[in-house]
Amino acid sequence: MRAALSQYAVDIQMTPATLEALMASGYALSAFKAVQTTVNGAAPLLWYQTSRLLMTTSVTWQEQYQAYASTSQIIAHGMIRPNSTTDIGLGQTAQVGANGAMTATDGGTPAAISILNQASQPWTCGVSQVVENQTNPVCAVPLYGNMIDVIAPVEQVLLMLSAMSANTGTVIYQAYAPGVLIDLRGAAQRTVQFDINNGWSWDSGTWARSVASNTDLVPLLIQQ
């Protein structure tokens, strides 16, 4: 029997006054997901965005993954469009053929997703993860000919509220609003608060940290 998929959630609480101000200003909630890889040039992608804000807005996701290959270039504010995908689990390897077709096979680095290029053509590759019933790319990583990339999902999410709208899969190198980085390793659910003037807050736990506007997101979300 297949093991049940682990699920995670973050609840964002706000007052009626804050909610009203955010809605009047056209704000949206953005989410980014952390990974671990040693490949230089890897970039974080906008994983999820919604303008449907409530007094308690929830973001939920689960350990359900795809590997992808793309011809899109990794450039600031560029959009990564997967050309091929395959469902994959931790500890498996996605093999990319000369035409970009992908096949998931058993055997790989434990607790990580490996992507093996079987030809000399370079690709952009990465991992997608299910969030709010959507499978969206988390990161973009250069994949050179006949090389293998290893990407380990990390249960940390970065949340931001801002008036900037972007497509999921967009390369984002800098925080475009004050954010909060939330660690869910060892916990399936966290709760934070947002105030229109005072920003993000949470209890005294060390599982969250503030992220200032214009912060470089690569060290936070592409961990070595």
Side-chain angles (χ1 to χ4, degrees):
M1 181 179 295
R2 186 175 180 178
L5 298 172
S6 297
Q7 300 192 30
Y8 300 89
V10 172
D11 293 334
I12 304 100
Q13 299 175 339
M14 58 188 74
T15 64
T18 287
L19 178 60
E20 182 178 352
L22 293 175
M23 298 298 290
S25 299
Y27 274 53
L29 175 69
S30 300
F32 299 79
K33 186 75 164 40
V35 299
Q36 185 177 36
T37 183
T38 59
V39 180
N40 291 330
L45 305 180
L46 177 60
W47 181 39
Y48 175 72
Q49 188 174 80
T50 181
S51 58
R52 187 175 183 270
L53 304 177
L54 303 168
M55 287 182 62
T56 298
T57 302
S58 297
V59 180
T60 62
W61 66 96
Q62 59 190 38
E63 289 184 326
Q64 185 174 348
Y65 305 103
Q66 287 183 342
Y68 76 83
S70 172
T71 57
S72 301
Q73 298 298 305
I74 304 175
I75 57 174
H77 306 295
M79 187 174 174
I80 304 298
R81 301 178 184 274
N83 295 100
S84 59
T85 64
T86 185
D87 293 339
I88 198 165
L90 299 179
Q92 290 188 307
T93 297
Q95 298 180 349
V96 187
N99 62 355
M102 304 185 77
T103 304
T105 61
D106 291 333
T109 301
I113 291 167
S114 302
I115 305 176
L116 173 64
N117 192 348
Q118 295 182 306
S120 59
Q121 176 183 343
W123 299 92
T124 293
C125 74
V127 170
S128 301
Q129 186 169 1
V130 172
V131 54
E132 294 294 333
N133 300 313
Q134 305 170 31
T135 305
N136 296 337
V138 168
C139 62
V141 185
L143 179 63
Y144 299 106
N146 301 296
M147 301 297 286
I148 187 169
D149 289 348
V150 179
I151 304 166
V154 177
E155 290 310 327
Q156 293 181 318
V157 293
L158 172 65
L159 302 179
M160 293 187 288
L161 278 158
S162 86
M164 193 191 95
S165 177
N167 294 314
T168 56
T170 299
V171 177
I172 303 291
Y173 285 117
Q174 288 185 303
Y176 47 77
V180 58
L181 183 66
I182 303 167
D183 194 334
L184 287 101
R185 290 173 293 185
Q189 191 274 339
R190 300 290 194 191
T191 299
V192 295
Q193 293 78 39
F194 183 81
D195 179 83
I196 191 64
N197 292 310
N198 297 316
W200 296 94
S201 62
W202 57 94
D203 65 25
S204 59
T206 58
W207 48 265
R209 57 172 287 193
S210 297
V211 176
S213 296
N214 297 322
T215 295
D216 183 1
L217 297 184
V218 175
L220 294 179
L221 300 175
I222 309 295
Q223 301 173 9
Q224 296 294 313

